[in-house]
Amino acid sequence: MQFSESWLRTMVDPNMTSDELAHMLTMSGLEVEEVEPVAPPFSNVVVAEVREIAKHPNADRLNVCQVDAGTGTLLNIVCGAPNVRAGMKVVCALAGAVLPPGEDGKPFEIKVGALRGVESQGMLCSAKELKLSDEQGGLMDLPSDAPIGQNFRDYYQLNDLKFTIKLTPNKADCLSVLGVAREVSALTGTPLRMPTYQAVAATIADVLPVTVSAPDLCGRFSGRIIRGLNAKASTPDWMKQRLERSGQRPISALVDISNYVMLELGRPTHVFDLGKIHGGLNVRWGKKDESLKLLNGNTVAVDEWIGVIADDQQIESLAGIMGGDATAVSLDTQDIYLEAAFWYPNAIQGRARRFNFSTDAAHRFERGVDFATTVEHIERITALIVEICGQKDKTAVGPIDDHIVNLPKRDPVSVRTARAVKVIGVPLTDAQIADIFTRLALPFTQKDSVFSVTPPSYRFDIEIEEDLIEEIARVYGFENIPALPPVATNAIRIRPENTRSLFTIRRQLADADYQEVVNFSFVEQAWEADFAGNSNPIKLLNPIASQMSVMRSSMIGNLIANVRYNLNRKVSRIRLFEIGAVYLRNNIDQDGPLSVAGYDQPKHAAAIAYGPIVEEQWGMDSRNVDYFDVKADLEALFAPKMLTFAKVEHPALHPGRSANVLLDGKVIGFIGELHPRLQQKYDLPLAPVLFEVETSSLQQVSVPSYKEISKFPAVTRDLALVVKNTVSMQDLMDVFVAEKKINPICNILQVVVLFDEYRGKGLESDEKSLAFRCTLQDTQLTLQDDLVDAAMAALIVAAGAKHGAKLRA
């Protein structure tokens, strides 16, 4: 909401400076975003009159003007403007004047000088030269009654300021100068001066037939016919000035008057060209396959969700949003139909956004506009139209046709003084609250410290007790509420030693040469199918964009998108990680303290590596990252815990280069290379390797415990076992670990490492040989061969019993 300070002060003029006024508005909840002057600084510029004009003797396009600037003598000024004429009131910069900076950024000083041999004692100015407008339309043509010699800044009120207010959606009552003035009056106690006008009496009985067929769309529809207007009349300068300083571009008198009343009173109205309306008007919901060409030139399709105003042949307007081109007023318009209506906010909300544009009318109607003053506002706009566009003995005004169909009910809202005191934290009395409601013009009754307030017709934001408490706090003054620290017992708690923070995990991943990214939890639905095999993702009711319509159940899609983004910017080596929430369905029926029924929101940690294993260097050969590089990073992240890996079929991963990640036998994530199909679909030259695991498993760590270090030498034995191809290395490792737990002989086994895999000559086609290096050691004695042989034999027997393994010859 933008308006000029001078316009506001015509309605309420508190005894305070502009800065104090801006601060007060901000502290009351009407945040003043910007206060800027309506014109840049310039000096020694006055109102003048051109008395005589003669052609310049040495230039065809220049004129030599005799100008009366109130100095006592006529000034000789050379001017090249095409619209200069004798008797014209103009803006004159005298010698010594300093005008706003030009393109070079330096102030422009006017000096007495010669132009093509003729002395010029000043400069006649255009609006563009004074930085009042971007339009180059020649000299500013001032009204004939402009006083010669007056300072132009004073005459044109250029010492005014423009206020830009950022309003919250609930403060629709302040989307007008009157609304802001009401607030200022309530906050300061300064009397409010309402705009005054003389109601225009009806001189004809003409009424346009109107039918309101949709009472859930339109609660009240008022209108009147006005005939015999001069649409070519000029908009008064004072009105143009207020419109421009409110961010509105003057168009034509009828349109300008409608916009002016909207800014003044907060009432959007519409002016139809009466001669273009076929029959009467019908306010209804749209129908499928209907369309309308709007005032902005766009043609939009209409259906049952859109409210319209239609005549007997076609749609003429989108209800509460924008008028149609077919009945738009023009400079040839003589007869009009003036309309003011109350549209239900929920019948307007979202409609303009559907057509990818916004209008001032929709912005107001979807928040709520006063339904009790349609007739008064039509009277106000009628008075302005007749004053500006009326023609003597030609203009005729019809009666106001007011259709009251379905007005909102204003149920009283109660607020307890004790509750207000508790919420605001200030010891307010009944008298103070009563005074605040009186200043806000909120009708109320009081009984036993309970106030019952009936919201006015222009206040759609008062529905519950908290709304009234907000009003009390605003008027009392947020800056008057003391800032008190909370009083509570504080206890310093030590973080459990077996838990580490997400920050620690982030630091470890960063130490491993991964860079953190932060992505939206909203993703494309196709990503869920491709990367998670999820055909039933959690959909958003109101997505911020079409490509962000579902909640992610995996982070892979985000990381692949990050890789593509970097590849498009010529980054060849990419290592990224993210820690964040994923969103899954569950069967829980009730909400919990930290859960929502039907949904899980666990945190996951995911990382991706693409391109060379290290930056190009002389110390090692260049190669691309592979599965085992990322697996080593993941194992280091969980150390000292030992992970196990089991082959898995994952929709996003390579069938032969992927695995589930297991911790203590429980699946906590996955790791692998991107599936070739997805690598091709997402246009990746190389296959990235990635993992995703639960952060809850990462955060739990083992508490360090003392283990005796042996002083005796270790023994190393190699064990080559022949097994079927279907038996994995991990299967045998699990057997060795299990045997150590249950067989005391194997307690001396410390480490088992696979160092060789063999297939070929000497083995069957369905067999392979896996060679393990076993390290054995005791803390109490030097191992003898019989103990070592017994332990190795026990491992061979266990592997044979479980997987049919046999010692390779």
Side-chain angles (χ1 to χ4, degrees), residues 141-143 145 155-156 230-245 248-258 260 380-381 383-390:
D141 194 351
L142 302 181
D145 60 353
Y155 172 74
Y156 222 61
N230 175 23
K232 297 179 182 179
S234 298
T235 304
D237 286 343
W238 62 267
M239 183 178 289
K240 284 184 181 179
Q241 189 179 92
R242 289 180 175 179
L243 288 172
E244 289 170 346
R245 295 176 186 181
Q248 294 279 350
R249 182 173 59 88
I251 299 173
S252 65
L254 291 174
V255 176
D256 293 346
I257 293 169
S258 177
Y260 178 81
R380 170 59 168 161
I381 196 172
L384 290 171
I385 288 175
V386 171
E387 176 186 346
I388 297 169
C389 301

Side-chain angles (χ1 to χ4, degrees), residues 731-796:
D731 293 334
L732 294 177
M733 294 290 285
D734 292 342
V735 170
F736 299 154
V737 172
E739 185 66 16
K740 180 180 178 181
K741 289 181 178 179
I742 63 174
N743 192 341
I745 296 175
C746 296
N747 281 340
I748 59 176
L749 180 66
Q750 302 299 326
V751 180
V752 181
V753 178
L754 177 73
F755 70 89
D756 184 51
E757 178 183 357
Y758 173 76
R759 302 171 194 257
K761 187 177 180 180
L763 299 178
E764 299 294 335
S765 60
D766 63 343
E767 291 181 335
K768 62 182 177 182
S769 171
L770 298 176
F772 298 90
R773 180 155 292 159
C774 303
T775 302
L776 302 97
Q777 190 177 33
D778 197 308
T779 60
Q780 303 301 321
L781 51 83
T782 300
L783 292 177
Q784 302 298 321
D785 287 344
D786 56 341
L787 291 176
V788 175
D789 292 341
M792 297 302 293
L795 296 178
I796 295 170

Side-chain angles (χ1 to χ4, degrees), residues 476-489:
Y476 181 80
F478 292 125
E479 73 275 24
N480 296 324
I481 300 175
L484 301 176
V487 179
T489 56

Side-chain angles (χ1 to χ4, degrees), residues 45 73 77 92 153 182 196 235-236 247 365 370 384 519 536 579 586 626 685 691 741 764:
V45 178
T73 59
I77 298 178
C92 178
R153 294 192 70 91
R182 273 195 300 252
T196 57
T235 304
F365 279 126
D370 190 355
L384 290 171
N519 292 301
N536 184 27
I579 296 177
N586 67 21
D626 61 20
F691 68 78
K741 289 181 178 179
E764 299 294 335

Side-chain angles (χ1 to χ4, degrees), residues 572-652:
S572 60
R573 182 177 182 272
I574 304 164
R575 296 170 74 89
L576 306 171
F577 80 91
E578 180 178 10
I579 296 177
V582 297
Y583 302 85
L584 312 172
R585 297 186 185 275
N586 67 21
N587 297 321
I588 298 175
D589 296 329
Q590 294 183 347
D591 292 342
L594 298 174
S595 62
V596 178
Y599 302 98
D600 276 336
Q601 304 176 54
K603 285 189 179 294
H604 282 193
I608 192 167
Y610 178 95
I613 182 64
V614 293
E615 295 287 357
E616 187 174 1
Q617 56 164 292
W618 62 270
M620 61 186 296
D621 294 336
S622 177
R623 67 174 179 85
N624 291 324
V625 68
D626 61 20
Y627 170 89
F628 297 101
D629 297 317
V630 177
K631 178 173 177 284
D633 291 337
L634 182 59
E635 288 176 324
L637 192 62
F638 275 87
K641 289 185 176 181
M642 299 295 294
L643 298 177
T644 57
F645 300 86
K647 185 178 179 180
V648 67
E649 294 291 332
H650 191 283

